[in-house]
Amino acid sequence: MRILRTTLRLGLASLALFTLLIAPPGPALAQSSPAELISQFRAKNGEGAVTMDATLNAIAQEQAAAMAAKDVLDHDVAGGFTSRVARSKAASAAENIAYGYADFPRTLGQWINSSGHRRNLLLKGASKVGIANAKSASGKTYWAMVIAGGYDKPKPKPDPKTKPAKDKAGKDASSKPKPTAPRDCTIRMLGMCI
């Protein structure tokens, strides 16, 4: 009898866990935007929030659409990531791709449980994200997420009070190499004075 109760308890616990894993997301989770969900995950892991970015969304949409069109999960199907993300002007960026789930919360869960994808979600200094999906002719939903940070800060303007020195021709003298004093050489070889 005792074995039967223990087995029944384990069976019910397994059923509850299975139901949690396959159950659709609750209303609060389904109402959160993808950027909010990623930000919540990042906050739990000591990283800053991210916001949606139009450029990153476009890059992710091109990737998702290319994967769906060819019905293949491949980071390079829309071109190399480095060249695709260059227009975002981010110093650092990462991409996650997936297929299978029709909703973002489950896709995010899949990425969180994969070490490489998880590392990308927790990209240091990330502040922006783009997320997109596309459906293939076979009915698969392909997802692409681009997360980025380290955006170029405006370069400081030169101080008008300090002007560079000019040479006789009126050009910036600081950019010219300084002439060196002639040295007495015993031997001159390959432009070196020994």
Side-chain angles (χ1 to χ4, degrees):
M1 189 63 138
R2 187 177 215 173
I3 294 173
L4 182 60
R5 273 190 252 153
T6 304
T7 305
L8 185 58
R9 281 187 196 146
L10 287 174
L12 289 173
S14 298
L15 180 61
L17 179 60
F18 180 74
T19 304
L20 282 173
L21 291 175
I22 65 164
L29 192 57
Q31 291 174 1
S32 295
S33 75
E36 290 170 332
L37 293 173
I38 292 169
S39 292
Q40 290 167 11
F41 171 70
R42 288 175 57 82
K44 288 178 187 173
N45 289 277
E47 295 297 333
V50 291
T51 57
M52 293 299 273
D53 178 74
T55 301
L56 297 180
N57 275 338
I59 294 167
Q61 186 60 58
E62 291 163 8
Q63 175 66 16
M67 290 188 300
K70 295 192 176 186
D71 212 356
V72 62
L73 187 68
D74 180 3
H75 282 282
D76 295 327
V77 73
F81 179 68
T82 304
S83 63
R84 288 186 291 113
V85 80
R87 70 181 191 238
S88 75
K89 300 195 182 347
S92 61
E95 177 180 64
N96 283 355
I97 58 175
Y99 77 88
Y101 293 119
D103 61 67
F104 184 74
R106 289 188 204 181
T107 302
L108 178 60
Q110 182 180 5
W111 287 334
I112 288 170
N113 291 322
S114 162
S115 63
H117 293 106
R118 180 185 186 91
R119 185 173 46 254
N120 289 346
L121 288 166
L122 296 174
L123 179 70
K124 296 277 183 214
S127 59
K128 296 180 181 180
V129 68
I131 299 156
N133 68 55
K135 195 167 263 205
S136 71
S138 69
K140 289 180 188 170
T141 302
Y142 286 88
W143 290 89
M145 177 209 73
V146 180
I147 188 167
Y151 287 87
D152 292 337
K153 295 184 174 112
K155 293 180 181 172
K157 294 180 183 177
D159 185 358
K161 295 175 188 172
T162 57
K163 295 185 181 183
K166 302 285 182 184
D167 65 7
K168 291 178 185 176
K171 295 182 180 176
D172 183 0
S174 63
S175 63
K176 282 185 160 183
K178 305 284 186 234
T180 57
R183 294 186 346 188
D184 290 332
C185 296
T186 307
I187 302 173
R188 210 177 249 295
M189 182 184 288
L190 300 171
M192 295 187 311
C193 181
I194 302 174

